[in-house]
Amino acid sequence: MSKKSVIKPLTQRPAWKALATHQKKIAKLHLRELFAANKQRGEKLTAEAIGLFLDYSKNRITAETLKLLLQLAKESNLRGRMDAMFAGEKINFTENRAVLHTALRAPKNAKVFVDGKNVVPDVHAVLDKMTEFAKRVRSGAWKGHTGKRIKNIVNIGIGGSDLGPVMAYEALRHYSQRDLVFRFVSNVDGADFVEAMQDLNPAETLFVVSSKTFTTQETMTNAESARDWLLRGLGGNKKAVAKHFVAVSTNAEKVSAFGIDTANMFGFWDWVGGRYSMDSAIGLSTMLAVGPENFRALLAGFHEMDEHFRTAPFEKNLPVLMALLSVWNTNFLGAETVAVLPYENYLKRFPAYLQQLTMESNGKSVTLDGKKVNYETSPIYWGEPGTNGQHSFYQLIHQGTRLIPCDFIAFGKALTPLGRHHDLLLANALAQSEALAFGKTAAEVKAEKVADALVPHKVFEGNRPSNTILADRLTPAVLGKLVALYEHIVFVQGAIWSVNPFDQWGVELGKALAQRIVPELENTTLPPLKHDSSTNNLIRRYRKMKSAR
Ligand code: G6Q
């Protein structure tokens, strides 16, 4: 993904133009007709690799659509871009960084070079250090300041230093050590910290301060409150900090200035982006929860998907297929969002995790060459686990005016089998994609002797696209595969849209403005306000509100 791309602007690529013409030709085709025309469609339009089965037959595509999408991938130099990423080229050129989350899960004997240095030995050294530490905490060998064993682990971090750890903890809770309590504090809103600490004993609590930069306002504010809370609870001896705080960071200087012994710091590198870091030391809380072996199985799952992505032909390549389908739905069918609907309660935070991964990555409107795009980029990713969503927003997906492609994720086996629950869960997952695709015609409604006036209300147009992903059951390895699947989907989308998925300049402005406003809220005398009239007025009003009795 070099800065000067030789490929044509997206809308001038021949495959893009052909897709636009093709879309007009097949616009009227309904999934009912597509399925009727090919009895094997549901078996043919599928792909299976590394234990994940993808059924993409319920997308509004023909063989020609697929051919043109694959052609678009070629014309977008997808292969070249993949090679550049895996080779450690500085494809995140706006920050002059390599993008090597794939090196975090590379086996020990692999070689991945950044600036001429093989980074794999460093990755494994940190993993080994995490392993040692996790073993000591989990076994009770690591003692707190008063000699008590650690029972509570609180991860303090935000964004990429929080969403992955929270999601992974929830997803892998089944595999977690149940006598340890895990909490995650992210928001600068004090309520987050206060509620998380409510029932915890400082003598038994370990804080993992996770921050790549160790300067993030929210995390440092929470970490300082945590230090105060701990010292208050343990009689004020500053030495206690060393036994109750560890850090995950790239910034040793700041970690040590905070009072954390750098021997208890777990490092990572600038070639790991925050939202791509749950498999780095940022995953320390995950390893503490599920143990080193399960954590390594998670990494092995990531790696399997990396290898699949790197080596499988595009027409059988799960991330490539799913990314191309999302481009089709977004750019040619006008879909604005993608609903991710896991039929697995342990994956309840997966959609929230994907929001950052997808939208912070491809929520961009300039190309690699700095030109304004003239097409849509990232759709809005959102979702909730099934079946809960069915009793809430699915109405709009079925009968609303918007087209919302869905990714259903389901498993052959429950982690916690209970009576008929899993069959009922799966019946719902399968029924939803069937209903979305095929709907119910007016004739079908009438045949049920529904009163004429009600018929239009009971019609389901159908023709709503979806993917279904099936795996055997949610293991650490499968979680790794799923996360890597979406990481690479994002990468392929970025390649097609010619944007840089690895920077996030869009979060900077608000941060800088907040820094400016802080003293205007905190100073006893109001400094002269130089904002717009709305912001000035809101500042004055807040000051009045906070000082009013
Ligand atoms: C992710 C972003 C962002 C980052 C947080 C936390 O890709 O860069 O979400 O993870 O802002 O940053 P620190 O880890 O530096 O505290």
Side-chain angles (χ1 to χ4, degrees):
M1 215 171 291
S2 69
K3 192 175 171 188
K4 290 275 167 254
S5 56
V6 286
I7 50 168
K8 288 192 170 135
L10 179 53
T11 54
Q12 288 170 32
R13 289 172 214 159
W16 179 273
K17 291 184 185 171
L19 278 161
T21 314
H22 167 72
Q23 189 276 324
K24 286 196 190 100
K25 226 191 310 171
I26 66 160
K28 294 240 156 61
L29 268 181
H30 194 287
L31 280 168
R32 280 185 216 124
E33 297 162 275
L34 290 168
F35 271 83
N38 177 0
K39 294 283 175 233
Q40 263 121 44
R41 183 180 172 94
E43 282 133 53
K44 285 267 152 60
L45 297 194
T46 62
E48 189 166 12
I50 61 164
L52 299 187
F53 175 78
L54 167 68
D55 176 350
Y56 59 94
S57 63
K58 294 188 182 93
N59 279 282
R60 282 157 58 171
I61 56 166
T62 64
E64 179 69 7
T65 325
L66 211 52
K67 201 181 104 200
L68 292 173
L69 286 168
L70 290 164
Q71 184 60 31
L72 180 65
K74 277 207 191 112
E75 288 172 15
S76 307
N77 188 27
L78 176 59
R79 177 60 65 198
R81 290 177 177 208
M82 286 164 70
D83 290 347
M85 174 173 76
F86 281 104
E89 282 180 32
K90 300 201 171 165
I91 60 171
N92 177 7
F93 70 93
T94 61
E95 296 181 307
N96 194 29
R97 286 178 185 164
V99 174
L100 274 178
H101 40 282
T102 51
L104 297 169
R105 50 257 193 166
K108 227 174 190 153
N109 57 0
K111 288 192 170 69
V112 183
F113 291 91
V114 178
D115 293 330
K117 181 177 185 259
N118 179 14
V119 297
V120 178
D122 291 354
V123 167
H124 281 269
V126 173
L127 269 174
D128 291 344
K129 185 172 170 182
M130 289 164 67
T131 302
E132 273 318 296
F133 177 70
K135 280 187 184 158
R136 291 181 68 197
V137 173
R138 286 164 62 86
S139 68
W142 178 284
K143 300 272 191 289
H145 180 66
T146 65
K148 288 198 165 176
R149 67 177 287 179
I150 296 299
K151 288 196 182 149
N152 317 307
I153 291 153
V154 183
N155 186 73
I156 298 180
I158 195 164
S161 302
D162 168 69
L163 289 159
V166 179
M167 183 278 288
Y169 172 66
E170 291 296 343
L172 300 178
R173 207 174 181 141
H174 178 72
Y175 303 88
S176 68
Q177 185 166 319
R178 300 292 184 158
D179 61 358
L180 291 175
V181 169
F182 286 82
R183 300 272 160 85
F184 298 84
V185 175
S186 52
N187 201 327
V188 75
D189 183 339
D192 202 11
F193 181 80
V194 170
E195 286 299 335
M197 294 303 122
Q198 208 61 256
D199 54 346
L200 304 188
N201 175 356
E204 300 172 338
T205 300
L206 175 76
F207 292 97
V208 178
V209 185
S210 299
S211 176
K212 184 171 165 181
T213 54
F214 231 71
T215 56
T216 306
Q217 184 198 54
E218 292 90 334
T219 301
M220 296 330 294
T221 308
N222 278 318
E224 278 154 24
S225 295
R227 193 175 47 193
D228 293 349
W229 176 86
L230 182 94
L231 294 178
R232 241 185 354 260
L234 296 183
N237 186 342
K238 287 206 170 117
K239 278 199 184 135
V241 172
K243 295 280 180 212
H244 293 268
F245 276 81
V246 297
V248 178
S249 187
T250 55
N251 192 339
E253 213 175 295
K254 296 264 183 216
V255 166
S256 139
F258 181 87
I260 297 177
D261 185 349
T262 47
N264 299 325
M265 165 177 154
F266 301 85
F268 58 119
W269 307 271
D270 79 346
W271 41 263
V272 185
R275 56 193 173 275
Y276 296 88
S277 68
M278 61 169 275
D279 47 343
S280 70
I282 289 291
L284 183 62
S285 61
T286 315
M287 192 193 268
L288 287 165
V290 302
E293 269 181 39
N294 280 320
F295 192 79
R296 287 184 194 250
L298 172 82
L299 297 185
F302 270 101
H303 181 66
E304 267 193 83
M305 180 55 80
D306 295 342
E307 285 304 285
H308 165 72
F309 177 52
R310 206 171 57 78
T311 60
F314 287 170
E315 65 277 11
K316 293 188 182 151
N317 193 310
L318 303 177
V320 173
L321 286 169
M322 286 185 67
L324 291 175
L325 290 165
S326 76
V327 167
W328 170 248
N329 289 332
T330 304
N331 299 109
F332 297 95
L333 302 188
E336 289 170 325
T337 80
V338 177
V340 181
L341 308 166
Y343 279 68
E344 169 56 82
N345 210 53
Y346 286 112
L347 286 180
K348 63 182 173 204
R349 293 285 300 184
F350 193 56
Y353 171 78
L354 289 185
Q355 284 181 2
Q356 182 190 28
L357 179 65
T358 57
M359 297 196 273
E360 197 167 5
S361 295
N362 284 332
K364 310 284 163 67
S365 53
V366 293
T367 64
L368 299 172
D369 301 324
K371 305 230 166 65
K372 183 101 177 118
V373 296
N374 54 354
Y375 43 84
E376 301 293 343
T377 58
S378 182
I380 297 153
Y381 280 76
W382 59 288
E384 281 288 324
T387 58
N388 296 16
Q390 291 174 208
H391 297 264
S392 151
F393 53 79
Y394 278 38
Q395 163 64 37
L396 184 150
I397 309 183
H398 284 288
Q399 287 188 315
T401 53
R402 293 166 197 279
L403 184 74
I404 306 200
C406 302
D407 287 352
F408 291 94
I409 302 173
F411 297 87
K413 297 186 189 79
L415 290 180
T416 47
L418 181 65
R420 302 168 62 212
H421 286 245
H422 200 64
D423 286 342
L424 299 182
L425 178 70
L426 265 284
N428 275 282
L430 305 182
Q432 288 300 322
S433 67
E434 187 180 21
L436 287 168
F438 302 104
K440 197 170 185 181
T441 61
E444 285 166 341
V445 177
K446 278 184 197 150
E448 290 173 354
K449 306 216 177 336
V450 169
D452 281 358
L454 284 184
V455 171
H457 298 276
K458 297 202 165 192
V459 165
F460 288 67
E461 264 177 28
N463 216 16
R464 267 91 168 140
S466 68
N467 293 311
T468 299
I469 298 168
L470 293 179
D472 183 46
R473 73 178 129 166
L474 181 57
T475 60
V478 166
L479 181 67
K481 291 173 196 179
L482 283 174
V483 174
L485 169 67
Y486 280 91
E487 284 179 348
H488 297 319
I489 289 173
V490 164
F491 180 84
V492 177
Q493 292 171 331
I496 306 285
W497 291 322
S498 294
V499 298
N500 177 6
F502 302 109
D503 60 12
Q504 56 284 313
W505 298 108
V507 303
E508 295 304 323
L509 178 60
K511 270 195 212 169
L513 293 184
Q515 291 296 358
R516 200 172 124 199
I517 293 177
V518 169
E520 295 168 350
L521 304 187
E522 286 187 331
N523 288 6
T524 3
T525 35
L526 178 65
L529 296 178
K530 293 189 183 131
H531 305 272
D532 58 278
S533 60
S534 159
T535 310
N536 287 344
N537 189 36
L538 291 167
I539 290 172
R540 285 194 203 97
R541 196 161 260 267
Y542 170 74
R543 288 180 66 100
K544 256 192 220 143
M545 285 162 69
K546 77 166 191 174
S547 57
R549 286 180 179 261

